[in-house]
Amino acid sequence: MKKIKLIYNSVAGQSKFKYFLDTIIEKFMQNGFEVSLFRAGKKTNLYDYLKNVDSDTYGIIVAGGDGTLNRVVNVMMRNNIKVPLGVIPAGTSNDFAKHIKMPYNFSECIDKIILGNIQEVDVGLANDKYFINVCSAGLFTNASQKTDIGLKNAIGKLSYFFTAVYQLFKFKPFEVKIETENDIIIEKVSLFLIFNGSSAGGIDKLTDGSNIQDGLLDIIVIKDCKFSEVSILLGKILLGKHFDDKKVIYLREKWLRVTKINGNVDDPDVDGDEGPRFPLEVRCIEKGIKMFL
Ligand SMILES: [Mg+2]
């Protein structure tokens, strides 16, 4: 019998997923899979659960948001666990699942996993932390990390909006040096995003056609903006028309180094979770992990 390791985050996405658990296990079992369950929390030991995967394991399936997915990816990459990874979008923010077009209907999502379109995809590495979707720093980028879990569960994604607006009023730009194979940029910036995927904070079209199989990261740097310029740029971003804006620097690179020169900014964030500190050395691990697409 083929095995599924199902990891779920019981507090993700307004805690809805646990009510579907029985239906989901039933569906896998009807299709000939044996399911083992792991209830993931911040302090649970994922490595202990994943270290004994054997050749009968069809897939490791994560039901949660970007943060839960990030923790599983980190354990798999660090321990060379080569089983295909699947994602059921059950978090507050499901940016990577959205990028790979996993259906929001849990049952359809499982159909897709059972169909078994397994492909190698890229993974980002920022210092010692892997990311599957995005590594970022600056204005808005850590709203998910800074938002209270109670508020997240009460009002979902709207809670990020409140955190972001609060940040807007007290934010100061910071100066960075960005080095790539082809460029050195020194600039006062509001934020930067280094994408493997394409959306962040539920906003699509942030990248100009990024691809998780091209061995490259899509980098968006938003220069220091006046308050009045932020809203105009946000409008363009929502329409996906920001790529040639004079406040935007867009790069596509295999690796980059980001050094903070001046100003205060929180440590970078990876997939909505705590990331490494500056200076950042970021690279794309081409085809680093197998996933159900
Ligand atoms: Mg890419």
Side-chain angles (χ1 to χ4, degrees):
M1 212 177 203
K2 285 201 158 192
K3 294 174 190 163
I4 294 276
K5 283 187 172 282
L6 178 61
I7 297 163
Y8 73 102
N9 179 350
S10 66
V11 297
Q14 297 175 280
S15 305
K16 274 182 287 198
F17 180 75
K18 58 189 173 199
Y19 303 112
F20 295 89
L21 210 44
D22 186 55
T23 318
I24 283 161
I25 294 169
E26 184 187 25
K27 181 142 192 168
F28 275 127
M29 286 178 68
Q30 281 170 347
N31 284 278
F33 293 96
E34 183 188 298
V35 182
S36 90
L37 279 181
F38 187 84
R39 184 180 188 273
K42 281 234 165 186
K43 289 189 179 134
T44 48
N45 192 335
L46 266 169
Y47 173 63
D48 268 354
Y49 176 62
L50 291 178
K51 68 182 177 194
N52 296 321
V53 284
D54 51 34
S55 55
D56 287 345
T57 307
Y58 175 76
I60 295 169
I61 311 300
V62 180
D66 296 310
T68 314
L69 184 62
N70 178 278
R71 289 194 278 279
V72 176
V73 166
N74 270 279
V75 171
M76 290 177 70
M77 292 299 290
R78 283 192 191 134
N79 299 288
N80 208 22
I81 297 169
K82 293 289 184 195
V83 176
L85 173 66
V87 54
I88 300 174
T92 307
S93 145
N94 305 290
D95 288 316
F96 190 74
K98 193 187 285 176
H99 180 81
I100 60 170
K101 299 190 171 63
M102 292 311 286
Y104 272 68
N105 176 300
F106 295 148
S107 176
E108 286 173 20
C109 192
I110 287 163
D111 287 335
K112 203 173 168 188
I113 290 167
I114 291 170
L115 214 58
N117 175 22
I118 298 163
Q119 292 189 37
E120 289 175 317
V121 308
D122 303 340
V123 180
L125 177 62
N127 295 357
D128 60 341
K129 292 211 176 179
Y130 292 93
F131 60 96
I132 191 77
N133 187 49
V134 66
C135 169
S136 56
L139 186 61
F140 304 138
T141 56
N142 62 359
S144 118
Q145 219 193 114
K146 294 279 174 188
T147 303
D148 173 72
I149 191 114
L151 196 61
K152 266 192 212 179
N153 281 343
I155 57 172
K157 225 180 251 171
L158 191 60
S159 60
Y160 294 166
F161 174 76
F162 288 123
T163 309
V165 169
Y166 174 72
Q167 285 185 347
L168 185 58
F169 284 99
K170 56 165 205 165
F171 189 79
K172 298 237 174 4
F174 55 104
E175 192 175 21
V176 288
K177 176 161 87 171
I178 300 173
E179 296 162 89
T180 71
E181 206 169 38
N182 309 303
D183 266 311
I184 297 181
I185 296 164
I186 297 177
E187 190 73 54
K188 246 187 176 180
V189 304
S190 299
L191 67 143
F192 66 82
L193 303 137
I194 303 164
F195 277 107
N196 189 40
S198 60
S199 62
I203 302 174
D204 297 325
K205 301 181 204 149
L206 274 167
T207 66
D208 193 8
S210 58
N211 181 331
I212 49 168
Q213 294 176 307
D214 64 358
L216 300 168
L217 299 164
D218 282 46
I219 302 141
I220 297 171
V221 183
I222 310 279
K223 297 182 193 174
D224 177 20
C225 283
K226 288 192 203 107
F227 195 81
S228 56
E229 292 169 324
V230 173
S231 55
I232 294 168
L233 188 54
L234 269 177
K236 283 189 176 179
I237 287 172
L238 290 172
L239 295 168
K241 298 205 183 301
H242 54 292
F243 305 118
D244 49 11
D245 190 282
K246 64 182 192 315
K247 290 287 176 186
V248 176
I249 301 170
Y250 197 106
L251 309 164
R252 191 169 276 162
E253 298 283 352
K254 268 192 191 93
W255 70 267
L256 68 155
R257 187 181 299 129
V258 187
T259 315
K260 191 174 67 175
I261 301 174
N262 260 312
N264 285 321
V265 62
D266 289 336
D267 291 330
D269 174 292
V270 286
D271 298 336
D273 254 5
E274 210 175 305
R277 300 193 164 179
F278 287 105
L280 278 183
E281 185 99 36
V282 187
R283 63 192 178 96
C284 185
I285 315 278
E286 191 168 0
K287 297 182 176 167
I289 201 162
K290 278 186 198 157
M291 287 197 83
F292 293 96
L293 297 185

mmCIF file of all heavy atoms in Angstrom, residues 16-34:
data_model
loop_
_atom_site.group_PDB
_atom_site.id
_atom_site.type_symbol
_atom_site.label_atom_id
_atom_site.label_comp_id
_atom_site.label_asym_id
_atom_site.label_seq_id
_atom_site.Cartn_x
_atom_site.Cartn_y
_atom_site.Cartn_z
ATOM 1 N N LYS A 16 -9.841 26.095 9.792
ATOM 2 C CA LYS A 16 -10.935 25.384 9.111
ATOM 3 C C LYS A 16 -10.576 23.957 8.710
ATOM 4 O O LYS A 16 -11.432 23.094 8.672
ATOM 5 C CB LYS A 16 -11.356 26.165 7.850
ATOM 6 C CG LYS A 16 -12.391 27.236 8.147
ATOM 7 C CD LYS A 16 -12.827 27.959 6.885
ATOM 8 C CE LYS A 16 -11.759 28.893 6.387
ATOM 9 N NZ LYS A 16 -12.137 29.909 5.463
ATOM 10 N N PHE A 17 -9.285 23.746 8.404
ATOM 11 C CA PHE A 17 -8.910 22.483 7.779
ATOM 12 C C PHE A 17 -9.292 21.258 8.602
ATOM 13 O O PHE A 17 -9.721 20.237 8.067
ATOM 14 C CB PHE A 17 -7.407 22.453 7.482
ATOM 15 C CG PHE A 17 -6.969 21.178 6.833
ATOM 16 C CD1 PHE A 17 -7.236 20.933 5.499
ATOM 17 C CD2 PHE A 17 -6.328 20.189 7.566
ATOM 18 C CE1 PHE A 17 -6.866 19.745 4.893
ATOM 19 C CE2 PHE A 17 -5.957 18.991 6.972
ATOM 20 C CZ PHE A 17 -6.224 18.780 5.636
ATOM 21 N N LYS A 18 -9.158 21.363 9.932
ATOM 22 C CA LYS A 18 -9.387 20.162 10.768
ATOM 23 C C LYS A 18 -10.797 19.585 10.589
ATOM 24 O O LYS A 18 -11.006 18.394 10.749
ATOM 25 C CB LYS A 18 -9.090 20.442 12.233
ATOM 26 C CG LYS A 18 -9.882 21.550 12.845
ATOM 27 C CD LYS A 18 -9.322 21.872 14.227
ATOM 28 C CE LYS A 18 -9.996 23.094 14.800
ATOM 29 N NZ LYS A 18 -9.224 23.703 15.876
ATOM 30 N N TYR A 19 -11.740 20.425 10.199
ATOM 31 C CA TYR A 19 -13.114 19.930 9.996
ATOM 32 C C TYR A 19 -13.245 19.091 8.720
ATOM 33 O O TYR A 19 -14.231 18.412 8.512
ATOM 34 C CB TYR A 19 -14.112 21.091 9.987
ATOM 35 C CG TYR A 19 -14.045 21.913 11.254
ATOM 36 C CD1 TYR A 19 -13.579 23.213 11.246
ATOM 37 C CD2 TYR A 19 -14.388 21.342 12.486
ATOM 38 C CE1 TYR A 19 -13.479 23.951 12.421
ATOM 39 C CE2 TYR A 19 -14.289 22.066 13.667
ATOM 40 C CZ TYR A 19 -13.829 23.373 13.616
ATOM 41 O OH TYR A 19 -13.714 24.088 14.778
ATOM 42 N N PHE A 20 -12.239 19.187 7.854
ATOM 43 C CA PHE A 20 -12.276 18.420 6.598
ATOM 44 C C PHE A 20 -11.404 17.176 6.660
ATOM 45 O O PHE A 20 -11.332 16.414 5.718
ATOM 46 C CB PHE A 20 -11.795 19.295 5.433
ATOM 47 C CG PHE A 20 -12.684 20.460 5.139
ATOM 48 C CD1 PHE A 20 -12.504 21.679 5.772
ATOM 49 C CD2 PHE A 20 -13.735 20.331 4.234
ATOM 50 C CE1 PHE A 20 -13.324 22.755 5.498
ATOM 51 C CE2 PHE A 20 -14.567 21.401 3.965
ATOM 52 C CZ PHE A 20 -14.369 22.616 4.590
ATOM 53 N N LEU A 21 -10.727 17.027 7.791
ATOM 54 C CA LEU A 21 -9.727 15.969 7.909
ATOM 55 C C LEU A 21 -10.286 14.582 7.581
ATOM 56 O O LEU A 21 -9.707 13.831 6.805
ATOM 57 C CB LEU A 21 -9.169 15.998 9.341
ATOM 58 C CG LEU A 21 -7.742 15.563 9.558
ATOM 59 C CD1 LEU A 21 -6.791 16.141 8.517
ATOM 60 C CD2 LEU A 21 -7.286 15.988 10.950
ATOM 61 N N ASP A 22 -11.435 14.251 8.146
ATOM 62 C CA ASP A 22 -12.003 12.923 7.943
ATOM 63 C C ASP A 22 -12.321 12.677 6.465
ATOM 64 O O ASP A 22 -12.013 11.618 5.911
ATOM 65 C CB ASP A 22 -13.267 12.773 8.809
ATOM 66 C CG ASP A 22 -13.800 11.355 8.726
ATOM 67 O OD1 ASP A 22 -13.023 10.418 9.016
ATOM 68 O OD2 ASP A 22 -14.968 11.172 8.325
ATOM 69 N N THR A 23 -12.902 13.662 5.818
ATOM 70 C CA THR A 23 -13.251 13.543 4.393
ATOM 71 C C THR A 23 -11.988 13.325 3.553
ATOM 72 O O THR A 23 -11.972 12.529 2.608
ATOM 73 C CB THR A 23 -13.917 14.862 3.916
ATOM 74 O OG1 THR A 23 -14.816 15.287 4.919
ATOM 75 C CG2 THR A 23 -14.622 14.697 2.607
ATOM 76 N N ILE A 24 -10.930 14.044 3.928
ATOM 77 C CA ILE A 24 -9.694 13.953 3.160
ATOM 78 C C ILE A 24 -9.028 12.590 3.338
ATOM 79 O O ILE A 24 -8.600 11.959 2.376
ATOM 80 C CB ILE A 24 -8.774 15.121 3.566
ATOM 81 C CG1 ILE A 24 -9.310 16.383 2.877
ATOM 82 C CG2 ILE A 24 -7.328 14.875 3.202
ATOM 83 C CD1 ILE A 24 -8.842 17.656 3.469
ATOM 84 N N ILE A 25 -8.999 12.099 4.564
ATOM 85 C CA ILE A 25 -8.412 10.770 4.810
ATOM 86 C C ILE A 25 -9.223 9.710 4.063
ATOM 87 O O ILE A 25 -8.666 8.819 3.415
ATOM 88 C CB ILE A 25 -8.359 10.472 6.327
ATOM 89 C CG1 ILE A 25 -7.376 11.434 6.997
ATOM 90 C CG2 ILE A 25 -7.934 9.041 6.595
ATOM 91 C CD1 ILE A 25 -7.416 11.439 8.505
ATOM 92 N N GLU A 26 -10.537 9.860 4.107
ATOM 93 C CA GLU A 26 -11.413 8.904 3.404
ATOM 94 C C GLU A 26 -11.075 8.882 1.912
ATOM 95 O O GLU A 26 -10.936 7.828 1.298
ATOM 96 C CB GLU A 26 -12.883 9.299 3.608
ATOM 97 C CG GLU A 26 -13.848 8.312 2.988
ATOM 98 C CD GLU A 26 -15.300 8.797 3.055
ATOM 99 O OE1 GLU A 26 -15.528 10.020 3.135
ATOM 100 O OE2 GLU A 26 -16.192 7.932 2.996
ATOM 101 N N LYS A 27 -10.898 10.057 1.349
ATOM 102 C CA LYS A 27 -10.622 10.147 -0.090
ATOM 103 C C LYS A 27 -9.291 9.482 -0.459
ATOM 104 O O LYS A 27 -9.218 8.735 -1.436
ATOM 105 C CB LYS A 27 -10.615 11.619 -0.510
ATOM 106 C CG LYS A 27 -10.374 11.819 -1.972
ATOM 107 C CD LYS A 27 -11.193 12.932 -2.545
ATOM 108 C CE LYS A 27 -11.094 12.861 -4.042
ATOM 109 N NZ LYS A 27 -12.057 13.705 -4.707
ATOM 110 N N PHE A 28 -8.259 9.736 0.341
ATOM 111 C CA PHE A 28 -6.977 9.077 0.076
ATOM 112 C C PHE A 28 -7.118 7.560 0.216
ATOM 113 O O PHE A 28 -6.627 6.798 -0.609
ATOM 114 C CB PHE A 28 -5.901 9.587 1.047
ATOM 115 C CG PHE A 28 -5.208 10.862 0.594
ATOM 116 C CD1 PHE A 28 -5.131 11.973 1.421
ATOM 117 C CD2 PHE A 28 -4.602 10.934 -0.654
ATOM 118 C CE1 PHE A 28 -4.477 13.136 1.015
ATOM 119 C CE2 PHE A 28 -3.946 12.100 -1.084
ATOM 120 C CZ PHE A 28 -3.889 13.195 -0.237
ATOM 121 N N MET A 29 -7.822 7.117 1.263
ATOM 122 C CA MET A 29 -7.961 5.675 1.495
ATOM 123 C C MET A 29 -8.746 4.999 0.384
ATOM 124 O O MET A 29 -8.398 3.909 -0.068
ATOM 125 C CB MET A 29 -8.610 5.421 2.866
ATOM 126 C CG MET A 29 -7.622 5.688 4.010
ATOM 127 S SD MET A 29 -8.327 5.457 5.652
ATOM 128 C CE MET A 29 -8.580 3.679 5.672
ATOM 129 N N GLN A 30 -9.794 5.662 -0.088
ATOM 130 C CA GLN A 30 -10.572 5.099 -1.202
ATOM 131 C C GLN A 30 -9.718 4.905 -2.449
ATOM 132 O O GLN A 30 -10.020 4.079 -3.305
ATOM 133 C CB GLN A 30 -11.749 6.023 -1.548
ATOM 134 C CG GLN A 30 -12.928 5.880 -0.603
ATOM 135 C CD GLN A 30 -13.968 6.974 -0.807
ATOM 136 O OE1 GLN A 30 -13.711 7.977 -1.488
ATOM 137 N NE2 GLN A 30 -15.137 6.787 -0.225
ATOM 138 N N ASN A 31 -8.659 5.697 -2.556
ATOM 139 C CA ASN A 31 -7.773 5.581 -3.707
ATOM 140 C C ASN A 31 -6.552 4.705 -3.426
ATOM 141 O O ASN A 31 -5.553 4.760 -4.141
ATOM 142 C CB ASN A 31 -7.337 6.970 -4.177
ATOM 143 C CG ASN A 31 -8.445 7.675 -4.938
ATOM 144 O OD1 ASN A 31 -8.635 7.441 -6.127
ATOM 145 N ND2 ASN A 31 -9.214 8.504 -4.252
ATOM 146 N N GLY A 32 -6.624 3.942 -2.339
ATOM 147 C CA GLY A 32 -5.587 2.957 -2.055
ATOM 148 C C GLY A 32 -4.379 3.470 -1.296
ATOM 149 O O GLY A 32 -3.307 2.862 -1.330
ATOM 150 N N PHE A 33 -4.517 4.599 -0.628
ATOM 151 C CA PHE A 33 -3.385 5.130 0.141
ATOM 152 C C PHE A 33 -3.588 4.913 1.637
ATOM 153 O O PHE A 33 -4.718 4.952 2.133
ATOM 154 C CB PHE A 33 -3.223 6.635 -0.099
ATOM 155 C CG PHE A 33 -2.813 6.978 -1.500
ATOM 156 C CD1 PHE A 33 -3.768 7.341 -2.438
ATOM 157 C CD2 PHE A 33 -1.485 6.926 -1.872
ATOM 158 C CE1 PHE A 33 -3.395 7.654 -3.742
ATOM 159 C CE2 PHE A 33 -1.106 7.243 -3.166
ATOM 160 C CZ PHE A 33 -2.060 7.609 -4.105
ATOM 161 N N GLU A 34 -2.457 4.699 2.318
ATOM 162 C CA GLU A 34 -2.496 4.635 3.772
ATOM 163 C C GLU A 34 -1.999 6.000 4.269
ATOM 164 O O GLU A 34 -0.948 6.466 3.836
ATOM 165 C CB GLU A 34 -1.533 3.527 4.209
ATOM 166 C CG GLU A 34 -1.477 3.244 5.667
ATOM 167 C CD GLU A 34 -0.340 2.253 5.955
ATOM 168 O OE1 GLU A 34 -0.381 1.113 5.454
ATOM 169 O OE2 GLU A 34 0.586 2.648 6.673
#
